[in-house]
Amino acid sequence: MEDLPAATADPLIAPPGAIFDDAAVLAALSTACATSDPADRRRAAVAILSEARTQGREAIRRGFADDPTRARRVTHSYAHLTDRLVQCAWLVATRVLHPNPIPTEAEHLAVMGVGGYGRGEMAPFSDVDLMFLTPWKVSPWVESVVESMLYILWDLKLKVGHSTRAVKDCLRLAAEDYTIRTALLERRLICGDARLAETLDTRLWSDLFRKTVPDFIEAKLAERDERHIKQGGQRYILEPNVKEAKGGLRDLQALYWIAKYRYRVQETTELVPLGVFTGAEFEAFEAAERFLWCVRCHLHLIAGRAVDHLTFDMQVDVANAMGYRDHAGRRAVEHFMQDYFRHATRVGELTRILMVALEADNIKREPALLGLFKRRRRVRAPYVERQGRLDVADDATFLAQPINQLGIFGEALRTGLFLHPHAMRLMAANRHLIDRDLREDPAAAKLFLNLLLKYGNPERALRRMNELEVLSAFIPEFGPIVAMMQFNMYHSYTVDEHTIQVISNLAQIERGELEESLPLCSGILQKGVNRRVLYVALLLHDIGKGRPEDHSILGARIARTVAPRLGLRPREAETVEWLVRHHLLMSDMAQKRDIADPRTVRDFAKAVKTRERLDLLTVVTVCDIRGVGPGVWNNWKAQLLRDLHRATAAALENGLEDVNRETREAKAKKLFRERMADWPEARLRAEIGRHYGPYWQGIPTAAQVRFAQMLEGLPEGEIRVDLEADPDRDATRVLMTCQDHPGIFSRLAGALSLVGANIVDARTYTTKDGHATSAFWLQDAEGHPYAPDRLPRLRRMIDRILRGEVATHDALEGQEIKKRERRFQVPTNISFDNEGSDIYTIIEVDTRDRPGLLYDLTQALAQSNISIAQAVIATFGEQVVDSFYVKDLFGLKLMSKAKQDALEKKLRAAITRAAERAGV
């Protein structure tokens, strides 16, 4: 059997002979094909090629494992192996199964790779896209060859995409369909008639490509924009599609397609001498391409199939495969994803650079609306409006004053113009001009503050400054958090993008866009606060993240340096430092403590000290939570923060001594009397007298009214349940009354866990006549109240469980955490606080959330004779903080260290059991 065509000169991850031994395979095929039965010949050929494929893939895998970042060599190796398999299939089909030593003109055939395979780049499980090219219509011999080749390749388990076309068909279809045209742009002869392939090449360039450059570019850019929208529209999607997402491989490939179509280059290296990219820019292109291909290849190998979605569980494995390790207080996967997002950002910059070259060539069209209805804006020197965007009038003049690298963003906001790609490229290439002198220049500081305060949409300038690395050049302390991913399910954005989202929230409140949904913050801003302090505090609130030290403490130290540099006065800088240091305080108090407990309000009021700081911290807290991600902010959190702000403001105004249990209890009883005015006095006294003080302080008046009705005439052994939407708190309220007995709180928590409810707050009190009154607030999986049509089923399930028809412990078996969520690690911390409440010990359990956890914890407490008055549940993605207000069997706090240690041991054992059951 004749030799195979010469291999490409591309470097491989293993020796060519290890990937595919040409001589050995051809010798084996020659021997096997000596049999007379065609079916036996094909089966023998498939067996030989299948073994060669297995050995070749294993050689590539081993080479990649030894050198896990040489992605280009890996993609070329898979393409080389595929080339050899296709070429062998060609030889078997044309020389053994369908020999045709003297083909007619119509029987000439070229086998061409198209798309990614035609480019010579393949991931481990990429499709093999083939085009069988003929001069005219398909002859019977060509049809037989194509059929035999495809059967051989399918039997080898290759995923083959194929078409059989004449030259004129290629031209016609490519003219009609941009997808086909793009595939043909990346064609490559694998085997067969080279002259036929050359004919196609000549015809495509002369008859189609050269005449349609602007159309093709517009189509590819529109296709890119549409793809980005489908993928979420943001570069910092925490589970990106490596191939299709913004800044992914497809964006790099689109750059190559456009460049090849316009400049007819075969390799991206040719764009440097043409002046499209500088040497440094091309190095960035190669680095991004190499990194993204590396990620994709590892993804395929880990999954054992074609997978491009970089899910949380896969991120951990890919990071390990690429050699990332935990260090500097961050996990390997976080370092890996930060590199991923930095490369994705660079891809966007490279796209803009190519657009500059195309516009300079007058190839990329100006947007139609700008061309038809252009309204000239008055642009100040040294800037100019070019093609509807803000550009630099003269490069040298612009660069002569480094402060212009800040001023251009202010001019863009003032005029409403977006930056021209040429201006962005110029700034990216001259970031070194933003030096210490500029950072310490008061005029530069004033310009920067104006970007935040003056134009009403600071997020637009900040996002572009961040992408161009101007922000981290001007504030170097911001650099470490750029593209920093936090590996958890709570934060939807990288730290820098979260910061910009937070500032955007503040700007929206100032513009009056959130007055209805955020009345408290809107009112605070309307009354007037120090905006300089607010914006700078939000800019710096997470600047300490990513280091082993508490980010609030480190961030406050950084703010102490940065705030004065940005032009803030000493008192303003001190307030910014305080806000950064305590930016989580109000959120923690509201979500992890009982704000109905006077001690909580007193402690918080002592911490904030002044109404000014209370108002500032409230706005910071709301903007911060809203900037975490979609769906995190809800009415439940809003109500908690409003209640805490109102109570604290009253305490600061009237004095802390007025915040006590007696005052709260008296006020609650007065409100109850007003709501139950139709009850006889004797009945009112009896109802008020049957409850202890904490009951009146702990739950809303509406729930107390309903409990009074439910307790009336309650027979022994009966459990009464009331379900009702609580729209003010964005939750469903569940009230339960029954005779009190040990472990009742745990049973109720278990019942709610089994119906899939997320418990956000729970309180239980015992009456003086031996009844339990328990109030739970629930949300569904989306963080909202249960829809009215779901309440009957919820009630039936609760009734069944409470009647003992369903064993809670058994029913929780098999409720596992989803596979993609199992890689999140949350260390367990258990603390005992005897200072946070006057009459209870607060046990705070901070751990990994899992099905039935609250049931397991409350079971452990009940078995230890611990009485639970309240459970406050705060969930942050995969992390949960359960705070229990408890007393011991004698109604006392847990003061003994030995008792605390013994109880902690039992709680940790309960957490371990829950983890094993959930498959963690």
Side-chain angles (χ1 to χ4, degrees):
M1 193 170 287
E2 66 188 67
D3 290 340
L4 296 172
T8 60
D10 295 324
L12 307 179
I13 197 71
I19 296 173
F20 193 92
D21 189 336
D22 295 6
V25 172
L26 288 176
L29 286 174
S30 296
T31 302
C33 292
T35 179
S36 58
D37 187 341
D40 289 343
R41 291 176 183 174
R42 198 182 83 195
R43 276 193 296 270
V46 167
I48 293 166
L49 293 177
S50 182
E51 177 63 22
R53 178 174 183 261
T54 300
Q55 291 176 1
R57 290 179 67 83
E58 178 59 21
I60 297 171
R61 188 198 64 75
R62 286 196 306 268
F64 198 25
D66 293 339
D67 201 349
T69 60
R70 301 298 287 269
R72 189 181 297 278
R73 295 189 175 215
V74 172
T75 59
H76 291 160
S77 296
Y78 282 113
H80 170 72
L81 176 58
T82 306
D83 284 354
R84 287 315 198 211
L85 294 172
V86 173
Q87 288 160 357
C88 284
W90 159 266
L91 287 177
V92 171
T94 60
R95 303 299 186 265
V96 178
L97 300 179
H98 312 287
N100 186 9
I102 308 176
T104 65
E105 192 67 28
E107 291 174 333
H108 285 263
L109 177 64
V111 181
M112 308 194 71
V114 294
Y117 177 46
R119 195 169 55 247
E121 294 178 335
M122 295 187 75
F125 292 94
S126 290
D127 294 353
V128 181
D129 291 324
L130 295 175
M131 182 178 71
F132 298 95
L133 182 66
T134 64
W136 305 299
K137 70 177 185 177
V138 178
S139 70
W141 180 80
V142 167
E143 194 172 319
S144 298
V145 170
V146 170
E147 183 179 300
S148 293
M149 283 187 67
L150 288 175
Y151 275 118
I152 291 172
L153 297 174
W154 288 333
D155 288 343
L156 291 174
K157 310 301 182 192
L158 296 178
K159 190 176 179 184
V160 182
H162 63 94
S163 60
T164 305
R165 292 178 182 143
V167 172
K168 65 176 183 178
D169 295 329
C170 293
L171 291 165
R172 175 177 56 81
L173 293 169
E176 298 170 353
D177 190 312
Y178 284 107
T179 302
I180 294 174
R181 194 185 307 183
T182 305
L184 287 174
L185 185 65
E186 297 189 298
R187 70 208 172 280
R188 177 171 63 96
L189 179 67
I190 308 299
C191 49
D193 192 325
R195 287 186 303 169
L196 188 57
E198 290 171 5
T199 299
L200 176 63
D201 180 80
T202 302
R203 293 286 305 278
L204 282 171
W205 282 106
S206 63
D207 296 1
L208 180 62
F209 292 171
R210 191 172 288 119
K211 300 175 180 178
T212 56
V213 174
D215 291 335
F216 182 80
I217 291 172
E218 293 300 321
K220 287 292 112 181
L221 293 177
E223 182 184 287
R224 181 201 61 177
D225 293 342
E226 185 178 342
R227 186 177 67 253
H228 288 172
I229 292 170
K230 286 181 180 178
Q231 291 293 323
Q234 295 183 12
R235 190 168 286 111
Y236 294 151
I237 298 292
L238 292 191
E239 290 185 289
N241 185 303
V242 178
K243 185 178 178 183
E244 302 290 345
K246 193 171 186 178
L249 272 171
R250 189 65 84 201
D251 279 2
L252 277 178
Q253 289 162 359
L255 283 180
Y256 174 67
W257 295 331
I258 291 171
K260 184 170 184 177
Y261 208 96
R262 169 63 185 91
Y263 302 108
R264 201 171 179 176
V265 296
Q266 295 303 313
E267 299 290 340
T268 47
T269 52
E270 299 172 52
L271 295 174
V272 177
L274 289 172
V276 176
F277 290 142
T278 65
E281 289 164 349
F282 177 71
E283 286 176 12
F285 181 101
E286 278 209 311
E289 183 182 45
R290 189 165 54 246
F291 182 89
L292 292 170
W293 267 114
C294 195
V295 173
R296 190 176 184 219
C297 288
H298 281 300
L299 259 178
H300 280 213
L301 289 172
I302 291 165
R305 58 190 176 89
V307 171
D308 295 320
H309 192 195
L310 194 54
T311 54
F312 289 129
D313 55 324
M314 284 295 191
Q315 289 171 14
V316 176
D317 291 332
V318 173
N320 291 335
M322 291 180 66
Y324 286 87
R325 297 292 178 263
D326 298 353
H327 70 273
R330 297 171 64 208
R331 292 183 64 183
V333 65
E334 294 176 319
H335 292 289
F336 161 62
M337 290 304 294
Q338 185 169 30
D339 283 347
Y340 177 92
F341 289 125
R342 280 177 169 160
H343 281 298
T345 302
R346 195 68 174 130
V347 170
E349 189 172 318
L350 291 166
T351 302
R352 290 192 294 270
I353 289 167
L354 181 61
M355 295 308 105
V356 171
L358 294 172
E359 288 179 350
D361 286 347
N362 293 314
I363 295 298
K364 183 177 180 291
R365 294 171 180 160
E366 190 172 311
L369 285 177
L370 288 173
L372 290 173
F373 306 110
K374 182 178 290 184
R375 195 185 71 191
R376 293 286 174 185
R377 301 167 180 83
R378 297 187 63 178
V379 176
R380 297 169 180 166
Y383 312 109
V384 66
E385 182 182 348
R386 181 175 290 123
Q387 295 170 310
R389 291 174 179 266
L390 185 67
D391 199 2
V392 173
D394 177 76
D395 291 5
T397 304
F398 175 80
L399 295 175
Q401 298 292 328
I403 199 172
N404 288 335
Q405 296 216 43
L406 296 177
I408 191 171
F409 294 99
E411 185 69 1
L413 291 180
R414 187 189 70 82
T415 59
L417 293 170
F418 291 107
L419 294 183
H420 193 280
H422 168 260
M424 290 189 277
R425 184 183 192 182
L426 187 66
M427 284 188 286
N430 292 277
R431 282 189 291 262
H432 62 279
L433 297 177
I434 304 175
D435 55 11
R436 177 180 291 183
D437 290 342
L438 182 64
R439 288 191 283 270
E440 295 177 355
D441 184 348
K446 183 178 180 181
L447 263 178
F448 182 78
L449 282 181
N450 281 344
L451 294 177
L452 299 178
L453 302 170
K454 188 173 180 180
Y455 303 103
N457 54 345
E459 68 277 9
R460 201 185 99 192
L462 288 174
R463 185 167 285 114
R464 188 63 78 202
M465 290 176 76
N466 191 37
E467 288 179 358
L468 295 173
E469 299 180 33
V470 171
L471 184 56
S472 55
F474 186 65
I475 305 176
E477 296 86 350
F478 196 83
I481 64 170
V482 172
M484 179 186 287
M485 179 241 204
Q486 301 167 88
F487 191 68
N488 57 52
M489 291 167 56
Y490 182 58
H491 294 91
S492 296
Y493 307 110
T494 54
V495 180
D496 54 334
E497 178 61 22
H498 161 72
T499 300
I500 294 171
Q501 293 279 349
V502 166
I503 289 173
S504 175
N505 284 324
L506 177 56
Q508 284 181 276
I509 299 171
E510 285 198 312
R511 294 195 297 263
E513 296 171 9
L514 302 174
E515 194 165 349
E516 187 174 333
S517 57
L518 299 178
L520 174 59
C521 289
S522 297
I524 289 172
L525 293 180
Q526 286 166 7
K527 283 189 297 184
V529 293
N530 190 318
R531 298 175 64 238
R532 288 156 54 97
V533 166
L534 256 184
Y535 273 101
V536 174
L538 288 179
L539 180 69
L540 303 179
H541 80 285
D542 274 348
I543 204 164
K545 280 197 169 178
R547 269 65 61 96
E549 188 177 351
D550 183 314
H551 82 278
S552 299
I553 296 172
L554 177 58
R557 285 207 305 270
I558 294 172
R560 193 182 308 160
T561 302
V562 175
R565 201 167 73 219
L566 293 179
L568 269 63
R569 293 182 286 273
R571 187 173 179 276
E572 292 175 322
E574 181 186 344
T575 304
V576 167
E577 181 183 345
W578 184 89
L579 286 169
V580 174
R581 173 66 184 88
H582 298 286
H583 73 272
L584 296 176
L585 175 64
M586 190 173 191
S587 173
D588 285 346
M589 283 289 194
Q591 297 186 73
K592 299 178 184 178
R593 290 293 181 263
D594 177 14
I595 57 177
D597 189 325
R599 183 62 175 269
T600 301
V601 176
R602 287 204 304 272
D603 288 350
F604 183 59
K606 288 176 183 176
V608 298
K609 291 185 174 61
T610 67
R611 177 62 184 264
E612 178 195 20
R613 283 189 172 180
L614 172 64
D615 287 346
L616 289 169
L617 185 58
T618 300
V619 176
V620 166
T621 303
V622 171
C623 291
D624 190 16
I625 295 174
R626 285 177 61 90
V628 168
V632 173
W633 177 259
N634 56 32
N635 282 346
W636 174 262
K637 293 184 178 76
Q639 189 63 46
L640 289 175
L641 292 172
R642 282 196 292 266
D643 289 348
L644 181 56
H645 180 276
R646 182 172 56 250
T648 307
L652 291 170
E653 183 177 343
N654 302 325
L656 299 185
E657 64 279 357
D658 193 48
V659 184
N660 56 62
R661 290 184 173 276
E662 292 74 20
T663 304
R664 287 269 180 106
E665 185 176 338
K667 184 178 179 181
K669 289 177 178 178
K670 181 174 180 293
L671 290 172
F672 178 76
R673 280 182 170 276
E674 291 172 357
R675 290 286 298 274
M676 306 298 285
D678 56 336
W679 275 29
E681 179 62 24
R683 191 173 167 193
L684 268 174
R685 286 181 180 176
E687 177 60 26
I688 292 173
R690 83 193 304 173
H691 298 287
Y692 294 103
Y695 171 87
W696 296 105
Q697 301 152 21
I699 58 175
T701 304
Q704 293 166 353
V705 169
R706 191 71 189 98
F707 271 134
Q709 297 164 345
M710 293 168 69
L711 285 166
E712 190 173 14
L714 179 65
E716 185 175 341
E718 182 178 328
I719 300 173
R720 289 181 178 174
V721 180
D722 179 76
L723 279 77
E724 187 176 308
D726 190 340
D728 289 340
R729 296 179 178 234
D730 211 18
T732 297
R733 189 190 69 198
V734 181
L735 304 180
M736 305 185 194
T737 57
C738 60
Q739 285 184 309
D740 189 30
H741 57 78
I744 183 63
F745 186 93
S746 182
R747 281 186 64 198
L748 298 174
L752 295 170
S753 294
L754 282 179
V755 297
N758 292 322
I759 302 169
V760 291
D761 197 359
R763 298 157 191 261
T764 186
Y765 305 97
T766 302
T767 66
K768 296 174 182 178
D769 56 351
H771 291 96
T773 54
S774 301
F776 291 80
W777 279 267
L778 318 176
Q779 291 179 333
D780 61 17
E782 281 72 47
H784 300 296
Y786 278 81
D789 60 339
R790 296 177 64 189
L791 291 181
R793 180 179 177 275
L794 186 63
R795 179 191 293 275
R796 286 195 299 272
M797 283 294 294
I798 292 172
D799 288 342
R800 286 186 62 211
I801 294 163
L802 294 178
R803 287 198 302 268
E805 296 177 15
V806 178
T808 304
H809 183 273
D810 294 342
L812 284 171
E813 290 294 334
Q815 292 194 13
E816 296 187 352
I817 293 174
K818 296 175 182 176
K819 181 175 179 287
R820 62 178 279 271
E821 299 173 3
R822 291 179 188 172
R823 296 304 188 92
F824 296 110
Q825 299 172 1
V826 180
T828 294
N829 292 299
I830 299 175
S831 62
F832 294 81
D833 178 7
N834 282 306
E835 302 299 323
S837 174
D838 293 331
I839 60 176
Y840 297 110
T841 293
I842 305 171
I843 303 175
E844 184 176 287
V845 181
D846 184 342
T847 190
R848 174 72 160 87
D849 196 12
R850 49 188 67 96
L853 176 65
L854 184 62
Y855 168 76
D856 290 303
L857 294 174
T858 53
Q859 276 281 90
L861 292 172
Q863 290 165 5
S864 303
N865 296 314
I866 301 297
S867 173
I868 305 170
Q870 183 184 359
V872 179
I873 294 92
T875 304
F876 307 94
E878 76 283 2
Q879 178 186 8
V880 65
V881 180
D882 290 345
S883 301
F884 300 99
Y885 284 67
V886 305
K887 294 180 180 179
D888 66 10
L889 186 63
F890 305 103
L892 302 173
K893 287 185 176 184
L894 308 181
M895 302 300 295
S896 163
K897 183 68 167 61
K899 282 186 177 179
Q900 292 178 7
D901 290 345
L903 185 55
E904 179 176 346
K905 187 176 180 180
K906 291 180 180 179
L907 289 170
R908 287 186 179 275
I911 290 169
T912 301
R913 286 195 301 273
E916 291 171 351
R917 186 180 63 228
V920 178

